[in-house]
């Protein structure tokens, strides 16, 4: 059974074992897309702010070339009051050359209707509206795709539970040389070993799309929280990309309510890597905000800061 649209009103119940691959994938989708909370945001608190770090391919990292760093705020609404809306996601870039740029993505409950993305460009003082991005388009210069972050649904893949296991090692993180460090990147956390030994499902998910950038991926998923710790993508039998996520509890009654403290993605052929880091102090849940907060007017307002 695929995710019911009624979940927009009633959170999905905690599942009972045994589960098959598809049922596990549905729970993962609920966790990673915020379906268990009304809304969630990461907003600057004092000196703490979420950041995005991108590095060039290995061959271009010469003379201590520093990564590109952008700080940002995000606002997600997974339960809009308007029944025509499925979700609304907003991100505001707070530093760097793209400072003030705002992105609003709205998806609809009618699956035949494409989502709409609005981008506020502060230098031009204009809103650019485009149709739903492609699954393979990358987000803000990272090697993370919109498919991985927002668009891909369990029905887009077939899911096979390979085995139950324990997480065998620490989760990797971006390792920087002294010349690559600045006031932001000095705050990046080291590798996460706290999840080591946690019981996990190991699930193989094969894309249904033809001639896609990957054939399948294998994910290690926490058996209690349904948070994905690591996903490894394969093409023609070769490992092409790994994504590690340090999911952390948000101290809620439902153990599935987690947030990604960091996401680290590396493309193996080129060495291109990206890291998203979100300090716990910036995360807020279930704020009393109307749907029209997720709007182009908000993008413009934040873009003036």
């Amino acid at each position: 059974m695929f995710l019911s649209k009624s979940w927009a009103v009633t959170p999905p119940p905690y599942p009972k074992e045994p589960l098959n691959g598809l049922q596990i994938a549905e729970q993962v989708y609920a966790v990673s897309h915020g379906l268990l909370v009304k809304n969630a945001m990461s907003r600057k608190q004092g000196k703490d702010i979420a950041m995005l770090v991108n590095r060039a391919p290995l061959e271009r990292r010469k003379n201590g070339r520093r990564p590109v760093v952008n700080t940002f705020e995000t606002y997600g609404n997974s339960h809009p009051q308007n029944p025509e809306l499925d979700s609304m996601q907003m991100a505001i870039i707070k530093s760097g050359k793209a400072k003030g740029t705002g992105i609003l993505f709205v998806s609809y409950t009618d699956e035949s209707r494409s989502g709409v993305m609005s981008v506020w460009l502060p230098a031009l003082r204009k809103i650019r509206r485009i149709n739903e991005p492609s699954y393979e388009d990358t987000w803000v210069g990272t090697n993370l795709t919109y498919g991985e972050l927002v668009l891909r649904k369990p029905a887009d893949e077939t899911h096979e539970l390979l085995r139950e296991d324990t997480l065998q090692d620490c989760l990797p993180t971006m390792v920087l040389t002294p010349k690559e460090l600045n006031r932001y990147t000095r705050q990046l956390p080291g590798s996460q070993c706290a999840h080591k030994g946690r019981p996990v499902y190991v699930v193989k998910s094969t894309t249904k799309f033809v001639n896609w950038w990957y054939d399948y991926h294998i994910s290690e998923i926490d058996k209690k929280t349904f948070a994905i710790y690591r996903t490894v993508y394969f093409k023609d039998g070769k490992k092409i990309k790994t994504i590690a996520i340090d999911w952390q509890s948000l101290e809620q009654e439902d153990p599935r309510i987690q947030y990604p403290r960091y996401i680290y993605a590396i493309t193996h052929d080129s060495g291109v890597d990206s890291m998203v880091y979100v300090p716990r102090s910036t995360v807020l849940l279930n704020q009393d905000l109307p749907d029209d907060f997720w709007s182009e007017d908000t993008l413009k307002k934040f873009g003036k800061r």
Side-chain angles (χ1 to χ4, degrees):
M1 180 178 178
F2 185 57
L3 293 171
S4 167
K5 290 300 181 185
S6 67
W7 285 16
V9 178
T10 304
Y14 194 86
K16 296 181 180 180
E17 293 188 293
L19 300 175
N20 60 35
L22 176 57
Q23 291 168 328
I24 295 168
E26 291 173 348
Q27 290 293 323
V28 168
Y29 185 89
V31 171
S32 61
H33 286 71
L35 300 187
L36 301 165
V37 296
K38 177 182 176 182
N39 59 56
M41 62 184 65
S42 172
R43 192 167 190 173
K44 183 179 181 181
Q45 297 292 326
K47 293 183 178 180
D48 291 344
I49 190 170
M51 71 179 76
L52 171 62
V53 184
N54 293 314
R55 286 200 297 187
L58 285 170
E59 63 183 17
R60 289 167 52 192
R61 291 183 210 163
K62 298 179 180 179
N63 300 320
R65 176 177 176 175
R66 289 186 174 182
V68 176
V69 180
N70 293 109
T71 58
F72 67 94
E73 296 181 343
T74 56
Y75 304 82
N77 182 349
S78 56
H79 301 280
Q81 295 178 348
N82 184 343
E84 294 184 0
L85 303 179
D86 184 57
S87 67
M88 298 183 286
Q89 309 289 332
M90 190 164 60
I92 311 292
I93 306 300
K94 305 296 289 185
S95 69
K97 294 181 179 180
K99 182 178 180 180
T101 300
I103 304 168
L104 172 66
F105 178 67
V106 177
S107 62
Y108 298 91
T109 52
D110 181 355
E111 294 185 0
S112 66
R113 186 176 178 182
S114 295
V116 176
M117 178 180 290
S118 300
V119 181
W120 166 250
L121 302 171
L124 301 178
R125 302 192 62 78
K126 289 185 177 180
I127 291 281
R128 180 187 177 193
R129 299 177 190 88
I130 58 178
N131 289 331
E132 181 176 289
S134 298
Y135 278 57
E136 69 269 31
D137 287 350
T138 57
W139 182 69
V140 195
T142 69
N143 56 353
L144 295 164
T145 67
Y146 277 97
E148 292 164 302
L149 294 174
V150 180
L151 300 176
R152 189 172 66 206
K153 297 180 179 180
D156 294 330
E157 301 173 316
T158 59
H159 308 277
E160 176 188 1
L161 174 58
L162 298 180
R163 64 185 183 277
E164 297 181 16
D165 205 338
T166 57
L167 192 66
Q168 298 296 315
D169 51 10
C170 301
L171 297 177
T173 188
M174 183 177 283
V175 179
L176 299 171
T177 66
K179 289 185 177 181
E180 291 178 307
L181 295 173
N182 63 21
R183 66 188 180 99
Y184 290 117
T185 54
R186 290 181 192 278
Q187 302 173 35
L188 293 179
S191 61
Q192 174 60 278
C193 298
H195 308 302
K196 188 175 179 179
R198 293 279 299 177
V200 293
Y201 295 112
V202 181
V203 175
K204 178 181 180 180
S205 301
T206 303
T207 185
K208 295 180 181 179
F209 299 148
V210 178
N211 298 323
W212 206 229
W213 66 270
Y214 67 92
D215 296 326
Y216 64 91
H217 57 82
I218 295 178
S219 300
E220 296 166 276
I221 300 160
D222 191 289
K223 288 187 64 178
K224 181 178 181 180
T225 67
F226 295 93
I228 292 183
Y229 290 130
R230 179 164 36 217
T231 297
V232 182
Y233 288 88
F234 295 84
K235 182 70 175 180
D236 298 328
K238 181 181 179 182
K239 181 169 69 174
I240 58 172
K241 183 164 75 170
T242 297
I243 299 175
I245 307 178
D246 175 25
W247 289 94
Q248 294 287 318
S249 171
L250 284 168
E251 301 87 37
Q252 303 296 305
E253 182 177 354
D254 190 327
R256 297 170 297 173
I257 299 177
Q258 305 266 314
Y259 94 99
R261 175 172 168 257
Y262 74 72
I263 303 173
Y264 175 62
I266 180 167
T267 302
H268 294 290
D269 280 349
S270 65
V272 168
D273 58 354
S274 301
M275 187 162 177
V276 179
Y277 171 53
V278 183
R280 173 65 181 88
S281 62
T282 69
V283 178
L284 300 170
L285 296 179
N286 302 324
Q287 300 299 293
D288 186 18
L289 294 170
D291 280 2
D292 60 12
F293 174 79
W294 284 265
S295 66
E296 294 181 358
D297 285 342
T298 300
L299 294 185
K300 296 175 183 179
K301 175 184 175 183
F302 278 35
K304 294 178 180 179
R305 292 184 178 182

